[in-house]
Amino acid sequence: MQFINLVVLLAILACVYADYPEPPPTFEATKYTTWDTSFTAGNSRRSVVDIRFDDADGNPDYITMKRLDLVGTAKERGFAHGALLADDIKTFTGPKLNEYLRSMLDDLDISGLPEPVQKILKPVEKVANIFLPELAHKALNWVWKNEEEHISQPLKDEIEGMAEGVCSVLPNSNPDKLININIGKKSKKCDVNEWKQLLQEVNMLPELIRMSCTAYGAWGKSRPASSNGKLLQLRALDFGGGPFANYTVIQTHRGNPENPNNAFVSVAFPGFVGSITGVSQSGIGISEKVWMTYNEKSDIQPGNYKGVPDSFMLRNILEYSKTKEDAVKYMQSIPRTWAMWVGVGDYASQEFNLVGYKEDSAIAYNDVTMPSMNDQPYIPQVAYVDKHPQPSHDGVNGTLPL
């Protein structure tokens, strides 16, 4: 598909730093996007993007990402995801995620979370090393139950299919062992309902953590003449710590009989049905970053757990919107949870908006109106938001190398 070049570029961008080190290399995607027919599940398949190169200091480095070509109904695509990435899902949702959760303990600030979640997490201070993953999953389960009524049935079906796919490959995998629940009990065989619950909980992780990323769109005269003014949309994945960068999954979804004319590519992680960035055949590209503000201290804006999960909202835009105007109307029509900047560009206009998406509103900004929100220089036909709380306090030029 012609949009795979954009998605691979989106996925391999490195973090943006204020001192502007040597930019990381980019690669022609067609050299790395052949399919290995050894790994299939029905009409779906799996392959690997594996790029070896030398970094700016001449040291060996690499980029590795899994690719999934998922075909069929929501349930069928979920099953294929689970079957083709069973080992990755088991590792990511178990030891890797546990390690990440424990690493967050020193910086844990639960004061801004709802009181029920605070009560669940409060015991962390005393029994972190043993019980933190279990307590975190209890909190994530609480989030799922609060937001479940706003989650579409196809996404629920996809998660259920994924659980079935995992058990079809790993019949002896027991989710309880992955998160330290029922310590000392004899391991059970794979239970689809237990895996479904675990995957539901893991998919709520973006509702509790914040990704401070960067979104950028340039079009028209800001682009080289050779581009004919077409939109260039980028999204830097400023992960920081954790297992996320090394477990990136590029998922192509197609052949859905309920939505046959819109294949799309979503970038996420093993076991995730939500999206953090992507592009669709209909012509929508999405970017996002958490919307924190500067008050007495940098802080997240007010939010709630009574709406559409943020990453599911992004996935729904990819799957069903055809223009950026469609995407904005959708964001304005739904119950919203936590504040973020959502970048939307489209083929139709070849332009880019940043939507200030928060609990009480969803307002689209462009190159002219965005400087009033991020306190960054106006650049004609360029709209951007950096990884910092807004308005940015990074100097007159912000994080731009001007």
Side-chain angles (χ1 to χ4, degrees), residues 1-205:
M1 295 181 179
Q2 65 181 20
F3 50 81
I4 192 65
N5 291 299
L6 172 61
V7 173
V8 172
L9 180 60
L10 288 172
I12 65 177
L13 285 174
C15 299
V16 179
Y17 297 95
D19 55 353
Y20 310 114
E22 184 71 20
T26 57
F27 305 93
E28 174 54 48
T30 56
K31 296 179 180 179
Y32 305 96
T33 52
T34 56
W35 288 99
D36 183 348
T37 57
S38 301
F39 301 97
T40 61
N43 294 321
S44 300
R45 53 189 174 171
R46 185 194 87 189
S47 193
V48 179
V49 177
D50 189 11
I51 305 172
R52 307 287 161 163
F53 63 98
D54 291 337
D55 65 18
D57 297 323
N59 300 314
D61 205 344
Y62 68 93
I63 297 168
T64 300
M65 294 175 289
K66 297 291 174 63
R67 297 171 59 216
L68 296 177
D69 180 25
L70 304 173
V71 183
T73 65
K75 188 79 172 285
E76 290 167 342
R77 284 177 281 128
F79 182 92
H81 183 157
L84 293 170
L85 285 186
D87 286 323
D88 292 75
I89 291 171
K90 181 179 179 181
T91 301
F92 180 81
T93 61
K96 293 298 182 181
L97 197 54
N98 291 351
E99 181 182 348
Y100 169 68
L101 292 169
R102 291 186 177 110
S103 73
M104 294 174 64
L105 183 61
D106 290 341
D107 299 322
L108 188 63
D109 179 6
I110 63 175
S111 60
L113 297 176
E115 186 174 346
V117 176
Q118 291 188 45
K119 289 180 178 178
I120 292 171
L121 294 178
K122 190 65 176 175
V124 163
E125 296 174 357
K126 297 180 180 179
V127 291
N129 288 334
I130 298 176
F131 292 108
L132 179 57
E134 180 177 351
L135 293 168
H137 276 271
K138 286 183 178 180
L140 292 167
N141 186 261
W142 181 89
V143 174
W144 171 272
K145 289 180 178 178
N146 273 268
E147 298 184 354
E148 183 176 7
E149 65 177 296
H150 303 291
I151 297 171
S152 68
Q153 189 59 46
L155 290 180
K156 294 177 183 177
D157 292 344
E158 196 171 320
I159 290 175
E160 183 174 5
M162 200 183 304
E164 293 176 0
V166 169
C167 285
S168 74
V169 175
L170 301 174
N172 295 316
S173 63
N174 174 19
D176 285 355
K177 291 186 68 177
L178 297 180
I179 57 174
N180 295 338
I181 296 175
N182 298 328
I183 294 175
K185 290 188 177 181
K186 186 177 180 180
S187 174
K188 299 178 294 183
K189 290 189 176 181
C190 193
D191 186 301
V192 170
N193 288 327
E194 290 182 356
W195 265 106
K196 182 172 73 170
Q197 179 179 326
L198 175 65
L199 292 168
Q200 289 170 346
E201 292 165 359
V202 170
N203 270 274
M204 295 298 98
L205 192 62

Side-chain angles (χ1 to χ4, degrees), residues 291-301 373-376 386-395:
W291 187 359
M292 299 181 74
T293 59
Y294 276 108
N295 295 313
E296 293 181 0
K297 62 177 182 178
S298 60
D299 202 3
I300 190 70
Q301 297 196 69
M373 300 301 296
N374 63 6
D375 199 28
Q376 298 293 279
D386 63 28
K387 65 181 181 178
H388 302 293
Q390 303 301 316
S392 181
H393 280 37
D394 234 17

Side-chain angles (χ1 to χ4, degrees), residues 173-351:
S173 63
N174 174 19
D176 285 355
K177 291 186 68 177
L178 297 180
I179 57 174
N180 295 338
I181 296 175
N182 298 328
I183 294 175
K185 290 188 177 181
K186 186 177 180 180
S187 174
K188 299 178 294 183
K189 290 189 176 181
C190 193
D191 186 301
V192 170
N193 288 327
E194 290 182 356
W195 265 106
K196 182 172 73 170
Q197 179 179 326
L198 175 65
L199 292 168
Q200 289 170 346
E201 292 165 359
V202 170
N203 270 274
M204 295 298 98
L205 192 62
E207 293 292 278
L208 290 184
I209 65 173
R210 313 294 172 215
M211 291 187 178
S212 301
C213 302
T214 302
Y216 167 97
W219 64 94
K221 293 182 180 180
S222 70
R223 300 274 284 120
S226 59
S227 72
N228 296 317
K230 291 185 177 180
L231 172 66
L232 173 66
Q233 181 175 342
L234 301 179
R235 189 263 207 251
L237 307 178
D238 300 320
F239 291 119
F244 305 103
N246 292 327
Y247 280 86
T248 301
V249 178
I250 304 173
Q251 312 169 19
T252 300
H253 292 255
R254 60 188 179 92
N256 180 5
E258 300 297 323
N259 189 20
N261 298 318
N262 186 36
F264 62 95
V265 176
S266 172
V267 178
F269 312 105
F272 277 71
V273 300
S275 182
I276 58 171
T277 192
V279 65
S280 78
Q281 184 179 13
S282 295
I284 283 286
I286 58 166
S287 318
E288 65 88 14
K289 75 158 252 97
V290 63
W291 187 359
M292 299 181 74
T293 59
Y294 276 108
N295 295 313
E296 293 181 0
K297 62 177 182 178
S298 60
D299 202 3
I300 190 70
Q301 297 196 69
N304 66 83
Y305 292 102
K306 293 290 186 181
V308 179
D310 283 349
S311 65
F312 288 18
M313 173 271 293
L314 296 172
R315 160 70 186 267
N316 289 337
I317 289 174
L318 284 177
E319 193 159 5
Y320 300 112
S321 298
K322 291 183 171 57
T323 67
K324 65 182 190 298
E325 289 75 21
D326 287 345
V328 172
K329 288 179 181 178
Y330 166 69
M331 286 185 272
Q332 292 173 338
S333 71
I334 60 175
R336 295 170 291 275
T337 57
W338 293 96
M340 62 196 305
W341 287 102
V342 180
V344 286
D346 61 17
Y347 293 170
S349 69
Q350 292 294 327
E351 295 181 359

